Amino acid sequence: MTIKEMTDSEKSELVQMALSDHVSFKNICDQYGLKEKETKKFMRANISPRAYKNWRKRVRTFSDRRENYK
């Protein structure tokens, strides 16, 4: 599935999954076929710049603490 083929509700669900601390990039890849880099690009385009910056900071911080985090 490509981003262009996604419905608005699927895009919304993808944003929610990516923002969740309990969903890994692997889970997103399994469900939507988007790799980590593609997910980051999607998020940059679909949330505010400030929210994106905060999300990336949180993902980096948690991934340093937990091996199996995004």
Side-chain angles (χ1 to χ4, degrees):
M1 172 182 292
T2 65
I3 293 171
K4 291 180 180 180
E5 296 172 343
M6 288 184 186
T7 64
D8 288 341
S9 64
E10 288 172 326
K11 289 179 182 179
S12 177
E13 183 178 340
L14 177 55
V15 168
Q16 289 176 356
M17 287 177 70
L19 289 174
S20 171
D21 290 338
H22 304 289
V23 179
S24 69
F25 285 122
K26 183 179 180 340
N27 296 126
I28 292 170
C29 184
D30 291 345
Q31 186 164 346
Y32 290 101
L34 297 178
K35 301 212 183 296
E36 180 177 343
K37 197 172 200 178
E38 296 167 319
T39 302
K40 291 175 186 175
K41 186 176 178 180
F42 173 84
M43 291 296 284
R44 184 182 293 271
N46 288 281
I47 62 176
S48 72
R50 186 175 184 176
Y52 179 80
K53 183 178 176 183
N54 290 334
W55 173 69
R56 289 298 302 136
K57 182 179 178 182
R58 191 174 75 242
V59 168
R60 275 192 303 272
T61 301
F62 274 97
S63 65
D64 289 344
R65 285 191 237 158
R66 292 188 351 211
E67 181 179 320
N68 294 323
Y69 185 79
K70 295 191 186 196

